[in-house]
């Protein structure tokens, strides 16, 4: 059930749409993208919220970012493209982009979520960013949604491609695992050598299954190597 927009809300949404560079045919889609489930549950029972749009936007974001990286970085292998994409669409990046666009100030919350700091919560900002993509896709189709994603994230995608930021294996593995609903854990499985020159072996596990191991002079480096080994086998 859609809620009726008052004139003030409609005007604010239209100003936001202008900042986004998209003229909505149906501005209520943008309103829904910026309506948290707590608002629908507490304030307007039965009103539509942004969870379904977030689901759709996530899929569009993945395809749009994949397409950009594929076209702009022809030397990257399939596995490297996967890792680069994960480095781009991580939660922190999307939340930062949402903040920059002012999406947090436009979100509608229930009282409890509002009072607990929901407006600045990274997960809410990330979800809003993806929901807006979903709204644009429904309103204008693939090409407009793709171009919007590219406008918002091309800088991050170019930086990742140029600096190979995706080589931070632990971060990339965490992002990939979260997408699949997996839990990543690291376990110290061995130590060797004298106290001043110790060597550590760490195993990384997904859902309790060892997916990679690494050995290095520090636990942190061993974890990175274990994560890299896990990523190397991710696509195999």
């Amino acid at each position: 059930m859609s809620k009726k927009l008052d004139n003030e809300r409609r005007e604010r949404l239209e100003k936001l749409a202008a900042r986004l560079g998209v003229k909505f045919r149906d501005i209520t889609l943008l309103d829904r993208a910026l309506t948290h489930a707590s608002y629908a549950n507490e304030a307007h029972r039965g009103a539509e919220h942004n969870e379904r749009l977030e689901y759709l936007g996530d899929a569009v974001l993945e395809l749009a970012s994949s397409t950009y990286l594929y076209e702009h970085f022809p030397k990257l292998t399939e596995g490297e493209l996967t890792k680069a994409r994960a480095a781009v669409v991580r939660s922190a990046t999307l939340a930062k982009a949402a903040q920059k666009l002012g999406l947090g100030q436009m979100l509608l919350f229930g009282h409890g979520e509002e009072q607990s700091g929901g407006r600045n919560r990274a997960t809410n900002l990330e979800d809003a960013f993806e929901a807006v993509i979903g709204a644009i896709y429904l309103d204008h189709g693939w090409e407009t949604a793709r171009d919007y994603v590219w406008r918002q994230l091309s800088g991050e995608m170019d930086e990742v491609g140029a600096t190979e930021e995706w080589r931070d294996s632990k971060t990339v593995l965490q992002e990939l695992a979260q997408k699949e609903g997996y839990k990543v854990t690291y376990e110290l499985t061995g130590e060797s050598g004298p106290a001043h020159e110790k060597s550590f072996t760490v195993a990384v596990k997904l859902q309790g299954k060892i997916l990679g191991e690494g050995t290095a002079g520090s636990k942190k480096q061993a974890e990175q190597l274990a994560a890299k080994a896990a990523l190397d086998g991710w696509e195999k």
Side-chain angles (χ1 to χ4, degrees):
M1 179 180 70
S2 299
K3 64 182 186 294
K4 185 176 180 180
L5 295 181
D6 60 38
N7 290 335
E8 181 183 356
R9 176 70 173 173
R10 183 178 293 274
E11 184 178 339
R12 292 185 69 201
L13 288 167
E14 288 174 348
K15 286 180 179 178
L16 172 62
R19 292 203 305 274
L20 301 180
V22 179
K23 186 173 179 59
F24 277 82
R25 301 183 182 101
D26 181 2
I27 199 69
T28 65
L29 284 169
L30 182 57
D31 181 59
R32 192 192 315 165
L34 298 169
T35 300
H36 190 263
S38 64
Y39 180 89
N41 294 335
E42 293 179 28
H44 291 74
R45 291 193 178 278
E48 294 179 295
H49 52 77
N50 66 5
E51 289 182 357
R52 283 169 55 84
L53 283 175
E54 182 267 328
Y55 161 81
L56 183 61
D58 176 68
V60 176
L61 171 63
E62 183 167 314
L63 180 57
S65 56
S66 298
T67 303
Y68 187 96
L69 291 167
Y70 179 87
E71 292 183 355
H72 287 78
F73 300 99
K75 292 184 179 180
L76 294 185
T77 65
E78 176 190 2
E80 289 169 342
L81 287 168
T82 299
K83 297 170 191 175
R85 182 184 65 209
V88 170
V89 300
R90 65 183 62 172
S91 299
T93 300
L94 302 186
K96 183 179 178 181
Q99 266 186 328
K100 185 177 179 181
L101 292 166
L103 300 187
Q105 299 309 307
M106 292 295 295
L107 278 164
L108 298 177
F109 293 107
H111 180 73
E113 185 68 18
E114 179 79 64
Q115 292 301 110
S116 66
R119 196 167 297 282
N120 295 311
R121 187 167 289 126
T123 52
N124 290 338
L125 291 168
E126 175 192 2
D127 290 349
F129 185 83
E130 292 180 334
V132 167
I133 296 171
I136 293 170
Y137 174 76
L138 288 181
D139 199 62
H140 281 284
W142 158 246
E143 290 187 358
T144 300
R146 176 203 62 196
D147 292 348
Y148 172 78
V149 171
W150 287 8
R151 285 199 307 275
Q152 301 306 326
L153 296 178
S154 61
E156 284 77 5
M157 289 189 282
D158 287 340
E159 183 177 354
V160 165
T163 63
E164 297 184 341
E165 184 183 339
W166 42 267
R167 290 195 184 277
D168 178 2
S169 298
K170 281 188 68 177
T171 298
V172 176
L173 180 62
Q174 184 68 29
E175 294 287 339
L176 285 172
Q178 285 180 346
K179 288 282 186 182
E180 300 294 331
Y182 297 148
K183 181 179 180 181
V184 178
T185 58
Y186 292 87
E187 181 181 326
L188 180 65
T189 58
E191 296 182 34
S192 61
H196 67 282
E197 199 175 345
K198 271 192 176 293
S199 181
F200 302 91
T201 298
V202 170
V204 60
K205 296 182 177 181
L206 269 68
Q207 303 299 93
K209 177 182 177 182
I210 294 178
L211 205 61
E213 285 189 317
T215 301
S218 72
K219 293 178 184 178
K220 286 187 176 180
Q221 184 59 29
E223 288 176 353
Q224 283 285 353
L225 292 175
K228 184 180 185 304
L231 288 170
D232 288 343
W234 190 273
E235 295 294 322
K236 294 178 182 179

